[in-house]
Structures are given as structure tokens and as C-alpha cells.
Amino acid sequence: MDDSTALGALDELARLLRGVSQELDKTVATCLGEGSPARWHVLNAVADGQGRSMSQLAEATQLNAATLTRLIDAMIADNLVNRNVDAADRRRVLVHATRRGQLTHKVMNQALSEGGVSAIAADSAPITELLTALSERIRVSDPVAL
């Protein structure tokens, strides 16, 4: 494969991945009756009761720091999550689901199940493995800046 063919394939791969991500987000958002599935992603990340740092939530939601901070502020105002100082490292803040947040998460998951959206993931193991391998390959490629 020459460089022009490889660059065309790279462009197509990026376009397809972006498109699939946007379609999946739209489908989830429609099923949840929300403008964005970001609240669901945050609640998924904190549903286990462990609490997550803002950097962990940024990774889970793929949101930048400013957007995530605004989202968490709105979720605090809606009593879905709260911020607590980390007992192990007082410089760090952890976000936890409130009781209402846990209930909202359960309702959201039920809506996704009943709407058939969760069925998308039923046979996704091979795709997930492929995307994970692709992600690892991209990380180790060590691109050169212009």
C-alpha cells in the first residue's frame, strides 16, 4: 500500500469511526430522552459507588475538562452526583452518585434495554477487541509533529 492509498484509508477510517460514534450517541440520547448521553456516561462511571476523579471521568466521557466541569456542575444542581475530597489525597476531588443519581442511572439503563439499544452490544465483542487493538496500535505509533 503506497502512502496516498494509506492516507486515503486513514481518512476513511477516521470518518467511519467518527460517524459510528455520533450515530451511537444519537441513538442512546434519543432512547434516554436527553440531548446528550454524557450524563449516562458519568453515572455509569460512578455507579459502583467508588467515586471517580475528574480525569477518570474525562476519559470515560471523552469530554474536555471545561465541558465536563459544566456537566458535573449541572448534575450537582440536579442532585445526581456530588463532589467529595478524596480521603487518601486531599488535593483530589472525587465525584460520587447520589441516591437520586443511582436511581436515575437504573431508569436510564432500563430505558436503553427496553428501547433495544443494549442489544447493539450483544454481539460486539469482536468489534470491541478490534477497536481496542486499533487504539493500542495508534498509541504506540509515536507520530512525528510537523
Side-chain angles (χ1 to χ4, degrees), residues 41-59:
H41 289 297
V42 168
L43 291 173
N44 269 336
V46 298
D48 63 2
Q50 298 297 310
R52 298 289 181 267
S53 68
M54 291 297 280
S55 60
Q56 289 170 320
L57 290 176
E59 185 177 328

Side-chain angles (χ1 to χ4, degrees), residues 3 30 37 50-51 53 66 68 86-87 99-100 115 122 130:
D3 268 357
T30 299
Q50 298 297 310
S53 68
L68 179 60
D86 185 356
R99 198 171 265 269
R100 182 175 184 192
L130 177 66

Side-chain angles (χ1 to χ4, degrees), residues 59-70:
E59 185 177 328
T61 61
Q62 299 293 301
L63 296 173
N64 66 47
T67 302
L68 179 60
T69 298
R70 284 191 300 275

Side-chain angles (χ1 to χ4, degrees), residues 74 88 115 144:
V144 178

